[in-house]
Amino acid sequence: MPIIYQCRHCGHKIGQLDQQMVDASMLGLDQLSVEDRQDMVNYQENGDIQIKSICESCEESLGKNPQYHELDHFIQ
């Protein structure tokens, strides 16, 4: 059951954890609101967990262009 971190803006795979058993509190997912958890965490049919995050490149772009925060996707 891999846990895959992927950028919510550009789709780049940030990283992957290959763990057999993972507790949500170990990943800090228990700290998210219900809405944020629904938005950020996707459970795939094959058992993988996909977590939407932000890569360094997109974070830098958001820092330089704060108006991008208004958009769901700013990378075309």
Side-chain angles (χ1 to χ4, degrees), residues 6-70:
Q6 188 170 10
C7 182
R8 68 174 12 348
H9 299 289
C10 69
H12 176 74
K13 182 178 172 182
I14 300 168
Q16 178 173 320
L17 299 172
D18 293 311
Q19 299 290 330
Q20 294 300 321
M21 298 292 288
V22 176
D23 188 299
S25 64
M26 290 174 57
L27 299 174
L29 300 178
D30 59 330
Q31 301 296 311
L32 298 173
S33 69
V34 173
E35 295 83 17
D36 285 342
R37 192 170 185 168
Q38 288 175 343
D39 182 48
M40 295 176 66
V41 182
N42 294 313
Y43 298 92
Q44 306 297 315
E45 290 181 18
N46 64 357
D48 293 357
I49 300 173
Q50 181 186 51
I51 300 177
K52 294 179 188 173
S53 188
I54 185 169
C55 69
E56 291 179 7
S57 178
C58 288
E59 184 175 23
E60 184 178 327
S61 293
L62 284 168
K64 291 179 181 177
N65 303 285
Q67 70 276 14
Y68 287 174
H69 283 280
E70 299 170 6

